Amino acid sequence: MHNYLDFEKPISDLEGKIIELKKLASEDESIDTTDEIGRLEVRVREAIVEIYSKLNAWQKTQVARHPQRPHFVDYAKTLFQEFTPLAGDRKFSEDAAIQAGLARFRGQPVAVIGQEKGNDTKSRLKHNFGSPRPEGYRKAIRILEMADRFGLPVISLVDTAGAYPGVGAEERGQAEAIARSTEMCLGVKVPLVSVVIGEGGSGGAIAIATGNRVYMLEHSIYSVISPEGAASILWRDSTRAREAATNMKITAEDLKSLGVIDGIISEPLGGAHRDPDSVIAATGDVIANALGEMASRSGEQLRNERRQKFLNMGRNL
């Protein structure tokens, strides 16, 4: 069952008619609906092209949060071979919001870190809706240290609304854990490629996204705070999230123009949720190209370039 966003009503109406016609034809073989279905399918494609060619920032936020959008587990299953998850931060507990481990990427040994939101009630609760606790970031630090020790490139896939803001997380040092994870990303002497595959929310995202190369999917978002959170702070009115999203410059196009990211990965027509396999393959190609470009660089070069990249942000604005 496809989940339609509110601005996709023209598409849902047309696809609903197609379903009705197919059902009618299956119930009565004497009725030929082939031509009408063909015409409706053309109109569906035209509607998708028209709608998705002019999405605003708030609509892109909705697409980035689409429940059927491919998540970390989908990318891990397709892009990596011999993926071995590693659990626990060796200090407090395991945090399932951050998935991390060792794998092979197109034959090359790599370390992998990503945020998983879950795709149904049970898995969302297990993964805390993709909002990591301090032990999740401390697990990421452990994997980054291991990658640095053994010379393994790091691939991080970002998809979180933000770090978990609960009392327990704050008591266990949420801010400190995020800061140390960010510091570790800046310090490793191996290639680090990050891709925002859905939401990139605040420090919860940048803690694993401070890479040599940072990419975003076409309809993903990357921001210092959620549009709802910004609206609540600025105007004491979370219903003004649409306005906040526009003013915050959170889309891939905005961030590419500002020099915050290095590139945009195109999504299939209608968003990644309509053709997960193609967007995962495209993401893999971009990661492979980035790792190939950095293969000849020394550890010191990689670390210095990464640090300088982030120090230079905003200087030319």
Side-chain angles (χ1 to χ4, degrees):
M1 187 69 173
H2 187 78
N3 288 293
Y4 293 96
L5 302 170
D6 56 7
F7 62 84
E8 292 182 310
K9 191 175 186 310
I11 301 169
S12 68
D13 290 344
L14 290 168
E15 291 190 335
K17 290 178 182 177
I18 291 173
I19 292 171
E20 289 177 7
L21 287 172
K22 288 181 177 179
K23 183 179 179 181
L24 183 63
S26 67
E27 292 173 351
D28 188 346
E29 295 182 359
S30 65
I31 300 175
D32 186 2
T33 60
T34 306
D35 292 342
E36 182 60 23
I37 288 174
R39 283 192 289 271
L40 287 172
E41 287 176 341
V42 171
R43 289 175 60 189
V44 166
R45 183 173 179 80
E46 291 172 348
I48 293 175
V49 170
E50 181 181 1
I51 291 171
Y52 274 81
S53 64
K54 52 185 180 183
L55 293 181
N56 58 40
W58 178 241
Q59 289 169 332
K60 282 183 176 284
T61 301
Q62 292 176 277
V63 178
R65 296 171 173 172
H66 197 287
Q68 293 172 318
R69 192 173 179 85
H71 293 159
F72 172 82
V73 293
D74 303 302
Y75 285 83
K77 188 186 305 181
T78 303
L79 292 183
F80 307 119
Q81 302 79 46
E82 301 177 34
F83 178 55
T84 304
L86 299 177
D89 65 345
R90 301 298 188 266
K91 290 180 174 67
F92 182 74
S93 71
E94 160 66 353
D95 177 32
I98 284 190
Q99 299 290 295
L102 306 177
R104 289 187 182 275
F105 172 70
R106 301 189 177 182
Q108 180 180 13
V110 296
V112 181
I113 304 171
Q115 287 143 338
E116 173 58 38
K117 288 182 172 181
N119 51 25
D120 56 29
T121 302
K122 184 178 180 180
S123 62
R124 285 170 188 152
L125 289 171
K126 174 185 175 182
H127 296 289
N128 201 35
F129 298 85
S131 293
R133 297 176 172 89
E135 41 274 19
Y137 293 109
R138 292 181 178 125
K139 175 170 64 175
I141 293 168
R142 186 164 72 87
I143 303 305
L144 287 163
E145 288 174 340
M146 190 179 300
D148 197 36
R149 187 179 308 127
F150 293 105
L152 301 175
V154 179
I155 298 169
S156 70
L157 301 176
V158 178
D159 189 13
T160 181
Y164 184 60
V167 173
E170 296 298 337
E171 289 175 340
R172 296 193 299 278
Q174 183 72 284
E176 182 265 352
I178 290 173
R180 289 196 180 278
S181 183
T182 307
E183 179 186 40
M184 193 67 205
C185 284
L186 286 169
V188 294
K189 295 181 179 180
V190 294
L192 202 169
V193 180
S194 301
V195 182
V196 181
I197 60 175
E199 287 186 273
S202 191
I206 202 167
I208 64 169
T210 315
N212 296 89
R213 299 285 187 276
V214 182
Y215 301 97
M216 288 177 67
L217 295 193
E218 182 181 358
H219 300 313
S220 61
I221 60 169
Y222 196 12
S223 61
V224 69
I225 190 173
S226 70
E228 294 90 343
S232 296
I233 292 170
L234 293 174
W235 302 299
R236 308 287 185 188
D237 184 2
S238 62
T239 62
R240 296 177 68 178
R242 178 191 297 267
E243 185 179 347
T246 302
N247 293 329
M248 288 165 63
K249 306 296 182 186
I250 62 177
T251 68
E253 291 81 2
D254 290 329
L255 295 168
K256 179 69 170 66
S257 68
L258 293 170
V260 174
I261 64 170
D262 299 289
I264 300 172
I265 302 172
S266 297
E267 294 190 27
L269 184 62
H273 55 280
R274 287 185 174 267
D275 189 358
D277 291 341
S278 69
V279 78
I280 292 172
T283 301
D285 291 340
V286 168
I287 292 171
N289 289 336
L291 291 178
E293 290 171 6
M294 293 184 281
S296 61
R297 291 184 173 91
S298 69
E300 285 294 337
Q301 281 180 304
L302 290 166
R303 182 172 65 175
N304 292 338
E305 286 177 9
R306 190 184 311 119
R307 291 186 173 189
Q308 199 60 47
K309 165 193 172 75
F310 285 90
L311 286 171
N312 288 339
M313 284 186 185
R315 286 188 175 177
N316 298 320
L317 298 180

